[in-house]
Amino acid sequence: AFNKPRGIVCTAEKREKNNVIDYLSYPVRIYPVGRLDKDTTGLLIITDDGDFAHRVLSPKKEIFKTYIAVLDGEITPDMPEKFLNGIVLADGTKCRKAFLRRLDKNTAEIKICEGKFHQIKRMFGIVGLGVNALERTAVGNFHLPEDLPQGACSETDSKALESIFSDG
């Protein structure tokens, strides 16, 4: 588990400056499971297990990723239903269902099971809101450890990682 700070690129390519792998020292090749935008913070799982990564990322598995979004405007009562029905992006792409829960007037928890380019920002853009800050807090039922500071990582056992795939 890596708590990604802003400004870090999610790639294992050494030629890319300020990438996530620069933060880690590991004896075998490792890579991030999925990506977070450069300005998105929070939980990033790093692994050397390609099968595990595929299981987490496969759209068929419907592994929901949970984010906290701070928005530049107010969340209206109709927005959760719009997200649940699948937002259609400006380019015509229909997103899968997403769960939106208002935390306060301009902060929401959002859960998505796909990861299109800047998807959450684009979804909120369709309903007239900009995203000022975005943090991933969970992948499936595996949550970012509360005591893990930004820029730090912690080893996670396989039992904890299996919680990604559990329903509870």
Side-chain angles (χ1 to χ4, degrees):
F2 178 64
N3 190 350
K4 181 191 157 308
R6 280 180 88 111
I8 304 302
V9 179
C10 281
T11 183
E13 298 294 324
K14 285 292 189 181
R15 60 184 153 82
E16 187 76 42
K17 291 182 181 174
N18 208 23
N19 71 67
V20 70
I21 302 303
D22 289 342
Y23 277 77
L24 309 169
S25 175
Y26 210 71
V28 297
R29 184 177 187 275
I30 55 175
Y31 45 92
V33 178
R35 294 179 176 236
L36 292 176
D37 296 341
K38 188 174 182 178
D39 59 346
T40 299
T41 62
L43 178 62
L44 186 64
I45 297 170
I46 310 290
T47 188
D48 64 350
D49 183 342
D51 290 335
F52 168 79
H54 177 73
R55 285 177 57 210
V56 173
L57 297 173
S58 173
K60 292 178 184 177
K61 299 288 184 188
E62 281 201 341
I63 304 297
F64 280 86
K65 288 82 177 170
T66 305
Y67 298 82
I68 302 297
V70 178
L71 307 161
D72 67 358
E74 210 165 309
I75 301 159
T76 60
D78 63 327
M79 286 181 189
E81 186 175 345
K82 288 180 179 179
F83 278 69
L84 189 59
N85 290 331
I87 296 285
V88 178
L89 302 176
D91 66 2
T93 302
K94 182 168 182 178
C95 296
R96 290 175 159 222
K97 67 182 175 187
F99 298 95
L100 178 68
R101 183 170 65 100
R102 183 178 188 253
L103 300 178
D104 67 34
K105 69 178 186 173
N106 70 330
T107 305
E109 176 186 81
I110 181 166
K111 295 182 179 191
I112 62 172
C113 66
E114 57 189 345
K116 298 181 185 327
F117 183 73
H118 296 291
Q119 180 177 342
I120 292 175
K121 294 171 188 171
R122 293 166 63 200
M123 291 168 70
F124 277 114
I126 293 297
V127 296
L129 296 175
V131 177
N132 292 336
L134 188 62
E135 178 184 25
R136 184 190 292 163
T137 58
V139 174
N141 287 308
F142 180 76
H143 295 267
L144 179 67
E146 288 184 20
D147 60 347
L148 187 63
Q150 281 193 356
C153 64
S154 64
E155 285 207 26
T156 305
D157 65 34
S158 59
K159 183 178 179 182
L161 288 175
E162 282 302 312
S163 71
I164 290 171
F165 307 104
S166 71
D167 290 332

